[in-house]
Amino acid sequence: MKMQAVRGMQDLLPAKKRIFRYIEDLAREVFVGYGYREVGLPLIEYTNLFERLVGETTDIVEKEMYTFEDKNGESITLRPEGTAVCARFADQNGLLFNQVQRFWYHGPMFRYERPQKGRYRQFEQIGAECFGIETPDIDAELILMSARLFKLMGIEEKLSLELNSLGNEKSRARFKSDLVRFLGRYKKEIDKDSQRRLTANPLRILDSKDPGTKKILSEAPRLMDYLDVDSRSHFEMLREILDDCGVSCSVNPQIVRGLDYYNRTVFEWTTESLGAQGTVCGGGRYDSLIEQLGGKATAGIGFAIGIDRLALMLEEKEIEEKKVDIYFVSPDIEIRNTVFIMAEKLKDGIPRLSITVHCGDGKLKSQMKKADVSGARLALILGEEEFREGVVGVKFLREMADQVSIPQGELVRYCLDYFGKEKVLD
Ligand code: HAM
């Protein structure tokens, strides 16, 4: 039997990986432009971090975590998301005391979900988190930042922004008990998952995709009507800033998000172009997360973008592959070491030059064919004759010009003139 990748794990072929890289590079530019600093977070954490912060009755913790015992018998988990990790990181490294922190990260997350288009067991996220600001201006900043990224990618028309407010703990508790009372009357009619959630995590019922449950929910009490005064004005101020900045959004009272740490603002960017897995970005406030971690109360808010889903939206985008500049041809394997010495010298002098040295056998003609396929602008030729004469042959692969011979000692200068200064590192 041939070896196969583990189910739900994606292989990224070069064209796909180029799209991922394009998304990451653009996100880096945009996030840095808003004053966010990149941090590196571990892929593995102690399991109880997620149990405590993401919530024991969430889908992620109940059924989707990759949890193992390490050789020391400790329970560890491949991170299913980055917010709990970033909060642990910020608290553990003493970065939260009387400070505002703006961080961003990217990398793989792991969830044991049923794989389908846009849903994988290993997927990539780019996340941004801000600690230490309670006011709604920071909510607006994060949303504006995500909007700018989508605009630069040219997909803003295909995305819509949906907002909701979950209020504070007290108002949520009042709403929860009324919701449970209301749904209790329809206990037999709502779907199985929702029946179970009625006691375990009733807010998540609002997320149900079951048509029958959805119909019943349309008559249910609305969280918006229970909001405390402060949460209500927080939400209004956020909407005002977005409105003033020309970012349109709609309020969707069904958005509760699948993780337990949220309060007040929650939001999602969704698209209809990806079928069932249409949420490309989700986020919100989590003002009691640091306290739950054992730290001093610190406000927090952030979002994460699913790169795999964005990449599906950008599939048609042609992202040009970086071509090699020079293909070094040498039909005589005996002088390959001289070729390597010359190629390394070229790289010393012009570090951004991309050079492929032909490796392996092959007659001049077949090597030249490979040079052409590589997309290189120049083929440098070092045959027996050139070697003897101390020169290199230069063949122009993308323009009509005769082949020339350059003394080996002048090759760096020649290439510098030909390719220009942008190939030199600053
Ligand atoms: P989340 O909604 O669980 O939030 O995930 C954020 C995004 O990751 C989703 O909108 C989706 O694009 C992508 N995603 C999630 N699961 C998968 C999957 N199985 N396959 C492919 N893509 C997936 C969080 O993770 C929070 N930490 C976001 C956050 C940051 N909230 C505050 N700060």
Side-chain angles (χ1 to χ4, degrees):
M1 263 246 293
K2 278 204 169 175
M3 299 299 281
Q4 298 277 320
V6 174
R7 183 165 142 81
M9 307 290 158
Q10 280 200 100
D11 290 328
L12 300 179
L13 300 179
K16 183 91 170 192
K17 183 66 193 172
R18 270 206 304 283
I19 297 179
F20 273 53
R21 168 67 59 206
Y22 161 80
I23 295 170
E24 282 159 25
D25 288 350
L26 206 55
R28 173 177 290 112
E29 233 172 85
V30 171
F31 292 3
V32 168
Y34 279 80
Y36 285 69
R37 295 184 299 158
E38 187 175 7
V39 291
L41 305 172
L43 294 191
I44 295 175
E45 295 281 340
Y46 290 119
T47 305
N48 63 3
L49 178 79
F50 303 111
E51 287 171 347
R52 196 185 311 170
L53 299 188
V54 174
E56 302 219 53
T57 56
T58 58
D59 283 352
I60 293 181
V61 172
E62 266 188 350
K63 37 187 186 190
E64 295 170 1
M65 293 210 298
Y66 278 87
T67 297
F68 307 93
E69 266 195 11
D70 69 7
K71 291 194 192 306
N72 203 22
E74 313 253 29
S75 180
I76 55 170
T77 293
L78 297 183
R79 62 183 189 190
E81 62 101 45
T83 309
V85 184
C86 195
R88 196 270 310 139
F89 155 90
D91 185 52
Q92 183 177 340
N93 289 287
L95 303 172
L96 297 177
F97 187 70
N98 278 346
Q99 296 171 71
V100 165
Q101 298 286 5
R102 289 175 166 86
F103 295 131
W104 75 276
Y105 52 85
H106 76 106
M109 307 289 160
F110 303 84
R111 295 183 194 175
Y112 194 83
E113 295 191 80
R114 199 165 47 77
Q116 63 178 89
K117 185 180 170 196
R119 190 164 70 194
Y120 311 100
R121 291 181 173 172
Q122 175 179 329
F123 58 97
E124 302 248 341
Q125 279 188 349
I126 299 183
E129 317 284 353
C130 176
F131 298 96
I133 305 177
E134 275 174 43
T135 42
D137 41 7
I138 188 66
D139 308 27
E141 174 182 289
L142 278 152
I143 291 174
L144 290 171
M145 185 161 90
S146 56
R148 179 166 301 279
L149 179 62
F150 299 140
K151 193 168 165 192
L152 285 172
M153 288 173 183
I155 52 170
E156 80 270 32
E157 302 282 309
K158 289 190 194 155
L159 289 172
S160 38
L161 171 64
E162 298 183 350
L163 293 184
N164 192 19
S165 176
L166 302 181
N168 64 15
E169 219 172 296
K170 242 186 176 166
S171 59
R172 236 172 14 255
R174 269 197 310 125
F175 168 70
K176 239 188 238 176
S177 80
D178 282 4
L179 181 70
V180 170
R181 199 168 315 127
F182 171 84
L183 289 172
R185 286 192 253 140
Y186 300 93
K187 203 168 172 185
K188 295 216 170 80
E189 288 140 76
I190 56 178
D191 61 283
K192 283 259 152 14
D193 255 355
S194 297
Q195 287 174 12
R196 198 174 47 82
R197 284 182 172 142
L198 209 48
T199 43
N201 197 343
L203 274 190
R204 286 303 311 283
I205 298 175
L206 300 181
D207 245 2
S208 170
K209 303 279 179 287
D210 176 72
T213 309
K214 270 177 135 174
K215 186 148 182 278
I216 293 167
L217 282 172
S218 66
E219 306 283 313
R222 288 158 33 107
L223 180 51
M224 262 304 158
D225 301 329
Y226 288 71
L227 286 194
D228 53 291
V229 179
D230 288 347
S231 296
R232 194 179 292 275
S233 74
H234 186 105
F235 196 55
E236 287 315 314
M237 276 166 75
L238 165 63
R239 291 185 60 195
E240 225 174 273
I241 302 175
L242 293 179
D243 202 33
D244 287 349
C245 292
V247 173
S248 50
C249 63
S250 55
V251 176
N252 179 353
Q254 301 318 8
I255 294 186
V256 285
R257 312 269 307 124
L259 308 95
D260 274 358
Y261 46 63
Y262 292 111
N263 67 300
R264 289 200 172 160
T265 313
V266 285
F267 61 94
E268 287 181 353
W269 287 93
T270 57
T271 179
E272 295 193 341
S273 67
L274 293 182
Q277 306 307 319
T279 310
V280 298
C281 171
R285 271 204 166 268
Y286 44 81
D287 296 322
S288 33
L289 190 66
I290 300 293
E291 253 176 319
Q292 282 167 38
L293 197 65
K296 190 170 160 275
T298 309
I301 176 165
F303 66 73
I305 294 170
I307 306 184
D308 304 71
R309 292 186 191 173
L310 266 194
L312 285 173
M313 290 185 75
L314 293 170
E315 226 157 34
E316 261 93 79
K317 203 177 177 82
E318 272 299 319
I319 295 165
E320 221 186 295
E321 186 159 28
K322 195 178 172 301
K323 302 250 168 58
V324 289
D325 298 311
I326 292 175
Y327 195 96
F328 224 127
V329 162
S330 67
D332 190 345
I333 200 156
E334 300 289 312
I335 51 177
R336 200 60 52 81
N337 49 354
T338 312
V339 173
F340 275 116
I341 292 168
M342 288 174 66
E344 289 300 311
K345 268 205 186 123
L346 267 177
K347 277 186 178 290
D348 286 343
I350 316 171
R352 287 212 171 100
L353 212 53
S354 148
I355 307 172
T356 300
V357 171
H358 180 88
C359 293
D361 294 329
K363 296 230 161 60
L364 181 65
K365 202 167 159 205
S366 88
Q367 290 196 22
M368 286 307 290
K369 245 191 210 152
K370 293 212 163 75
D372 193 36
V373 170
S374 77
R377 284 171 64 194
L378 296 184
L380 297 183
I381 304 163
L382 191 74
E384 212 186 315
E385 199 181 319
E386 286 86 2
F387 181 73
R388 235 185 308 110
E389 291 172 10
V391 296
V392 190
V394 180
K395 192 168 169 55
F396 302 90
L397 298 174
R398 313 288 150 205
E399 60 208 289
M400 298 293 283
D402 291 339
Q403 184 171 328
V404 292
S405 253
I406 305 289
Q408 289 177 7
E410 286 173 26
L411 190 59
V412 174
R413 168 99 346 249
Y414 183 86
C415 288
L416 205 53
D417 287 346
Y418 185 80
F419 286 101
K421 291 253 179 311
E422 72 269 20
K423 297 283 178 189
V424 183
L425 290 177
D426 302 326

